[in-house]
């Protein structure tokens, strides 16, 4: 019997990947690197600095900037990204999310957010679902990003359950790998890219029965 749910944010609760893409694309263009939607898939679930490093690697520019300059580039991208997030409302929740969270609450199942995003509290607040989560892992406290299982293990700890008693939800391959490495049951939320290793794959949370999941 499962005892708690651990959710990724971007691509599972709401679709912010499009805003990350707009902001990274503009930043990359400013330094002479072109990124496309396919490349953007690689940035899902990856931290801000790791995303910047991947973009610089694409443009063969890893050594072109000091760490202070890289911080400034990441911060510029984030300022633009946060501007784009201002328009978020509860209507931007992905289909079925609110109902799923309400049903979980009704059944007494605690929920956590395990997102690499330092903007997670701001986004949850704009979406009006902050109070639906018992735990939001602070990515600043982690030593390794996804696909390392650390963030998922910390989420389970926050919920006071064993990772093997949790169900994890992810739209990115790095996240599915992290969930499985933590020993959780993995639900893949399909967003157009193939996901390997998930225990089940759905297009939206309404495709799931909470009771069936809890019985896994
Ligand atoms: C999520 C997204 C990534 C993003 C990361 C950090 O994992 O899927 O694309 O890079 O969060 O987000 P942040 O808001 O801290 O820049
Ligand atoms: Mg995601």
């Amino acid at each position: 019997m499962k005892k708690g749910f651990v959710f990724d944010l971007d691509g599972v609760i709401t679709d912010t990947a499009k805003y990350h893409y707009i902001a990274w694309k503009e930043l990359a263009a400013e330094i002479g690197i072109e990124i496309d939607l396919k490349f953007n898939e690689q940035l899902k679930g990856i931290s801000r600095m790791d995303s910047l490093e991947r973009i610089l690697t694409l443009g063969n520019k890893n050594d072109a900037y000091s760490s202070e300059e890289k911080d400034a580039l990441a911060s510029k991208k984030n300022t633009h990204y946060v501007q784009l997030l201002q328009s978020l409302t509860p209507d931007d929740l992905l289909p079925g999310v609110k109902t799923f969270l309400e049903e979980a609450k009704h059944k007494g199942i605690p929920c956590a957010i395990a997102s690499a995003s330092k903007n997670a509290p701001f986004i949850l607040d704009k979406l009006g679902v902050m109070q639906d989560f018992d735990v939001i892992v602070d990515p600043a406290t982690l030593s390794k990003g996804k696909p390392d299982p650390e963030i998922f293990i910390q989420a389970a700890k926050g919920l006071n359950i064993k990772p093997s008693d949790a169900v994890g939800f992810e739209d990115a391959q790095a996240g599915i790998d992290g969930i499985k490495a933590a020993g959780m049951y993995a639900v893949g939320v399909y967003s157009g890219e193939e996901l390997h290793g998930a225990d089940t794959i759905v297009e939206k949370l309404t495709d799931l029965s909470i009771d069936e999941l809890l019985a896994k």
Side-chain angles (χ1 to χ4, degrees), residues 1-21:
M1 192 73 188
K2 301 298 181 196
K3 297 179 180 148
F5 294 140
V6 177
F7 297 87
D8 173 43
L9 175 62
D10 298 325
V12 172
I13 302 294
T14 189
D15 178 20
T16 40
K18 58 188 178 218
Y19 301 126
H20 280 296
Y21 178 60

Side-chain angles (χ1 to χ4, degrees), residues 68-135:
E68 289 75 22
E69 287 168 331
K70 287 179 184 178
D71 284 347
L73 288 172
S75 160
K76 189 169 187 192
K77 177 267 172 179
N78 191 55
T79 302
H80 185 189
Y81 176 62
V82 171
Q83 266 168 19
L84 297 170
L85 293 178
Q86 298 299 328
S87 63
L88 279 184
T89 73
D91 287 343
D92 291 298
L93 284 168
L94 284 169
V97 169
K98 190 65 189 171
T99 317
F100 192 96
L101 293 173
E102 278 169 357
E103 205 182 322
K105 186 171 276 177
H106 184 69
K107 290 180 188 292
I109 304 299
C111 294
I113 288 285
S115 168
S117 176
K118 294 182 174 156
N119 294 299
F122 175 70
I123 294 170
L124 293 170
D125 191 43
K126 295 290 269 180
L127 295 170
V129 290
M130 185 70 120
Q131 70 291 348
D132 293 317
F133 295 96
D134 304 274
V135 169

